Amino acid sequence: MTVNKEIGMRRHIRLAAAAAALSAVLATGAAAQQFTMKFGTATPKGDQNFWMEEFKKAVEARAGGRIAIKLFPASQLGAIPRQIEGLQLGTVEAWIGPTSFLTGVESRYQVMDAPGLFADWDHAQRTVTHESFRDEFLNLGEKKGVIGIGIYTSNPMSVVSRKIPIRKVEDFRGQKFRVLGSALEVEQMRALGAAGVPMPLVETLPALQRGGIDGVRSGIVVFVPFKYWTISRQLTEIGDAYIVPVAFVSVRWWKTLPQDLRQIMLEEARKLDDAAYKYARKQHQLFRGLWTKNGGELIDFPEAERKKLLELSRDVGAKVAARNAGVKAAYDKLVAAAGATRQ
């Protein structure tokens, strides 16, 4: 064999080996299919944002590069109704927020707005994560195109009013309050002599500034990041109910994922039930300090007034639930879980 032939043969062998290696890389890349998860929420910062950020870190670390989770806080994917429509259509893969906003999709989600079910914040958390309630509740919307993968309690309900500060139950009378979105919340406002006006978060502050509404029922986790103290300096924590966010995913998108990737997500989401709750508790204290630091007044609703409020709205949950058999079944499940976890 001549020197030139030997050199040519060696070159051919090297090229063949390189081609084989490239084919193996391409085959591996094809097998490790890439998925994208656009994850939205309405808040610019807070416990919902913490949930998304921690979920992204944990899932991407375990998924080995198979999924890219892209976060869109502060309604960057559109107002809440548009994001929920995206979930159903599969154009938005995930969203986290209070279940009240999905009552137009699945009416049973509104049971979480029932007042007076929980003795305190800890009791609310034990209830919504209880084995007799959690998974069944998260799956209520599956036939409507959405399912939940995580749940926790965020904040006690609070109110701000630009018209009359809420220091007693009578102060609610005659005022229009923005509520999250459920018929149950509207009914409760009616029981207190007020009007409940469902409204997306991005529309709420401008409506309050214009006088289209007199006040807002939500949590301090919303009032501080959006600087509500510029409109109303008085914030009253009434604690008749708790904001309960759920991390929802699109069923259309979820079904395209391999089983092991779904399992990773479910496991990491369950871990965040407790982690997000603990984060919310700590941040609640921070936000209380920021409210007063910026000139706001925190009104602790007197216990006598809170009892009066709960007495007036005691039957609201059962009354609204009785209108629909499915809602009643979900409400009864929640009441039973609250009873099982009461200490």
Side-chain angles (χ1 to χ4, degrees):
M1 180 182 293
T2 66
V3 172
N4 287 339
K5 285 185 178 180
E6 185 176 351
I7 292 173
M9 185 174 292
R10 288 177 181 174
R11 183 180 298 161
H12 177 75
I13 292 171
R14 287 198 300 270
L15 289 173
L22 179 60
S23 297
V25 169
L26 292 174
T28 301
Q33 183 179 0
Q34 292 290 317
F35 296 93
T36 298
M37 184 183 198
K38 296 188 297 297
F39 204 147
T41 194
T43 53
K45 58 183 176 180
D47 46 81
Q48 292 172 184
N49 307 77
F50 168 84
W51 201 104
M52 294 195 306
E53 291 160 4
E54 293 300 304
F55 182 78
K56 171 183 169 67
K57 286 190 292 187
V59 171
E60 287 185 344
R62 290 182 61 186
R66 288 184 294 162
I67 186 167
I69 302 176
K70 300 180 180 180
L71 307 183
F72 296 88
S75 296
Q76 291 178 28
L77 294 177
I80 292 172
R82 303 292 79 77
Q83 293 190 61
I84 293 170
E85 287 175 6
L87 279 177
Q88 292 181 279
L89 295 171
T91 57
V92 173
E93 288 77 26
W95 176 84
I96 185 169
T99 57
S100 312
F101 291 115
L102 280 92
T103 56
V105 173
E106 172 50 71
S107 60
R108 290 175 290 180
Y109 282 131
Q110 70 182 300
V111 300
M112 210 56 76
D113 297 324
L117 291 183
F118 310 123
D120 53 35
W121 201 341
D122 286 337
H123 182 215
Q125 176 69 8
R126 291 194 303 272
T127 299
V128 303
T129 57
H130 193 260
E131 60 183 8
S132 68
F133 181 78
R134 180 189 186 274
D135 291 350
E136 184 175 338
F137 182 75
L138 291 179
N139 288 317
L140 288 179
E142 185 172 6
K143 292 182 179 179
K144 307 294 179 63
V146 298
I147 54 173
I149 59 173
I151 186 171
Y152 68 99
T153 49
S154 169
N155 267 237
M157 279 294 182
S158 301
V159 291
V160 297
S161 172
R162 69 192 299 271
K163 190 175 180 181
I164 302 172
I166 305 301
R167 301 182 187 277
K168 56 186 185 299
V169 173
E170 183 63 28
D171 294 333
F172 281 97
R173 188 166 298 279
Q175 296 202 61
K176 290 188 294 184
F177 282 87
R178 177 264 187 177
V179 295
L180 299 183
S182 70
L184 206 154
E185 283 187 291
V186 172
E187 189 65 38
Q188 186 188 12
M189 288 294 101
R190 185 177 292 119
L192 300 178
V197 183
M199 187 179 294
L201 182 59
V202 293
E203 299 175 15
T204 303
L205 191 58
L208 189 63
Q209 290 171 322
R210 294 192 306 268
I213 52 176
D214 302 311
V216 179
R217 183 176 187 267
S218 188
I220 198 169
V221 68
V222 168
F223 296 140
V224 167
F226 285 95
K227 301 180 180 179
Y228 271 71
W229 58 72
T230 61
I231 307 299
S232 171
R233 294 195 177 279
Q234 288 79 27
L235 184 156
T236 308
E237 291 194 328
I238 53 177
D240 57 327
Y242 292 83
I243 296 175
V244 180
V246 166
F248 288 98
V249 295
S250 165
V251 171
R252 287 189 179 187
W253 175 76
W254 187 250
K255 288 181 177 179
T256 68
L257 301 179
Q259 182 59 40
D260 69 312
L261 193 51
R262 290 190 214 173
Q263 189 60 35
I264 288 172
M265 291 185 174
L266 290 173
E267 289 171 2
E268 295 304 327
R270 185 177 285 273
K271 292 176 186 177
L272 283 166
D273 286 357
D274 186 57
Y277 164 65
K278 290 178 178 176
Y279 179 87
R281 294 292 303 245
K282 291 179 181 178
Q283 192 182 56
H284 179 254
Q285 292 304 314
L286 172 65
F287 280 171
R288 282 174 62 92
L290 287 173
W291 183 266
T292 56
K293 182 179 179 180
N294 284 278
E297 177 190 1
L298 282 173
I299 302 172
D300 289 321
F301 211 43
E303 186 59 28
E305 291 298 319
R306 185 173 181 273
K307 287 181 179 178
K308 188 185 298 184
L309 183 150
L310 292 176
E311 181 64 27
L312 287 170
S313 55
R314 179 179 56 186
D315 298 329
V316 166
K319 179 180 177 181
V320 173
R323 299 171 186 169
N324 179 286
V327 175
K328 185 178 186 306
Y331 177 75
D332 290 344
K333 277 272 188 181
L334 179 60
V335 171
T341 55
R342 192 176 297 275
Q343 294 180 348

